[in-house]
Amino acid sequence: MTENQNQPREYDAILGGESQVPLGSAVLGGIPGVKSRLASPIVEVKIAALSQALKYGDAGLDLIIGALQDESMAVRFAAYSLLKDSNQPNLKELFQKYLPTFHFDVITVDAEGKENSCRRHYAHFFPEDLGKRVVLEMVYIPGGTFMMGSPATEEDRRDNESPQHQVTVPAFYAGKYPITQAQWQAVMGYNPSHHFKGEKRPVESVSWDMAVGFCGQLSQKTGRKYRLLSEAEWEYACRAGTTTPFYFGETITPELVNYGGYSPYANALKGLNSRKITNVGSFPPNAFGLYDMHGNVWEWCSDRWHENYNGAPTDGSSWETGRYDRRMLRGGSWEIYAVLCRSAVRDWLSANHSWRPWGFRVAVASVCPSS
């Protein structure tokens, strides 16, 4: 009897996850198939393989536990979601080793600045050792889609915050805090801050050119490509899922943000002004676990300045057309009005100009360093 050429044979196999299955072959199954798909460079293939691994008892469980060490944070999260309710011993230690977390409270307020909620959150991060007991904590920012800019109904909005538009931002890591003076010193060997010295205070009096130079030196030191956040990444990370003027809600207070408390926003009362840059982490974070996104120091972003969002990228990337010498600043500072600390506020300065309120934080791609 003639063999049917379209019928797979038991020894025929291909790697799982291929979009086209060759004629006369079958997808490799069982634990070998899961292993082969976990070796794929395609993240989606790896995640699908982890779900299949559940079918294969202890052998499959071992593969899922092994995926906690994957270079892709998305794969690590997939493994974590499959394991988090398991009673396997030592999992908590493995989670903290390969997916370290920190916990914090997220506060929201009403238009008068009165607290209306306080919720417990956690975020994943990895520590970057800069030497001499100086650590840079990089927080995982999950990818997502948001509306960039301010709505027409937002009080005291500016024209350059328009048109509001949808942007999809891939996952990345952002500095938990603005770069501190100790971190700058550890990487660059000197401290450019002139006005408010302190190891835990944000580095200040930094130009855009200087901030980019720091990213280059940090990249050489660590082997990872550090950079400034794009303007879209910055606003997405600042909002952390919120649509209000601030990540705290409709307004801010001097108890929540280091800004010029003498000039409040919405219905909040006037408050004191610290009149100085404060240590990072002195005020509550947003839902992503990022601190000082409002106030303290203005933060440089990578983009060139544009007068509005017409033609802006929608993929979270840096906007690199336009005048070279004008670069973006975000977040407001310790000495200005509350209205200029809103999530949507945009400002610019020449790339080579430095002044006491200017600082920055860094970003890096979402592929984790090997543990």
Side-chain angles (χ1 to χ4, degrees), residues 98-207:
Y98 298 116
L99 275 171
T101 60
F102 65 98
H103 293 79
F104 50 92
D105 292 327
V106 175
I107 296 171
T108 60
V109 298
D110 61 20
E112 295 180 350
K114 296 177 181 177
E115 184 177 317
N116 54 25
S117 73
C118 181
R119 296 161 292 148
R120 194 70 171 162
H121 277 234
Y122 74 92
H124 295 283
F125 76 103
F126 74 85
E128 189 76 86
D129 187 355
L130 303 182
K132 297 182 179 179
R133 295 187 294 180
V134 178
V135 175
L136 171 63
E137 293 175 283
M138 298 298 296
V139 179
Y140 180 69
I141 309 299
T145 299
F146 80 113
M147 293 301 294
M148 186 173 182
S150 60
T153 55
E154 188 161 306
E155 182 180 339
D156 293 327
R157 70 189 298 272
R158 302 193 292 184
D159 290 343
N160 64 32
E161 299 164 19
S162 299
Q164 199 175 26
H165 57 293
Q166 183 173 286
V167 178
T168 298
V169 178
F172 67 103
Y173 284 87
K176 186 177 183 179
Y177 312 110
I179 291 296
T180 66
Q181 294 176 35
Q183 291 164 347
W184 181 283
Q185 179 78 43
V187 173
M188 305 298 284
Y190 72 101
N191 183 359
S193 304
H194 299 306
H195 303 280
F196 303 103
K197 294 282 190 178
E199 290 187 353
K200 293 184 179 180
R201 286 175 171 168
V203 67
E204 38 97 347
S205 303
V206 173
S207 70

Side-chain angles (χ1 to χ4, degrees), residues 340-360:
L340 295 179
C341 295
R342 291 177 297 115
S343 299
V345 165
R346 312 168 68 228
D347 209 343
W348 64 269
L349 203 67
S350 296
N352 62 358
H353 188 83
S354 61
W355 195 36
R356 61 182 183 178
W358 309 149
F360 67 103

Side-chain angles (χ1 to χ4, degrees), residues 37-64:
R37 290 189 286 278
L38 287 174
S40 170
I42 304 171
V43 169
E44 292 79 7
V45 172
K46 291 183 178 182
I47 292 174
L50 290 176
S51 297
Q52 292 295 312
L54 285 174
K55 300 178 180 179
Y56 300 107
D58 290 342
L61 187 63
D62 288 343
L63 293 179
I64 298 172

Side-chain angles (χ1 to χ4, degrees), residues 229-249:
L229 281 69
S230 72
E231 191 182 7
E233 286 176 331
W234 191 96
E235 185 171 329
Y236 174 75
C238 177
R239 290 187 178 278
T242 63
T243 58
T244 47
F246 306 91
Y247 61 71
F248 292 106

Side-chain angles (χ1 to χ4, degrees), residues 259-272:
Y259 72 101
Y262 52 83
S263 181
Y265 185 82
N267 299 324
L269 298 176
K270 289 184 179 180
L272 297 176

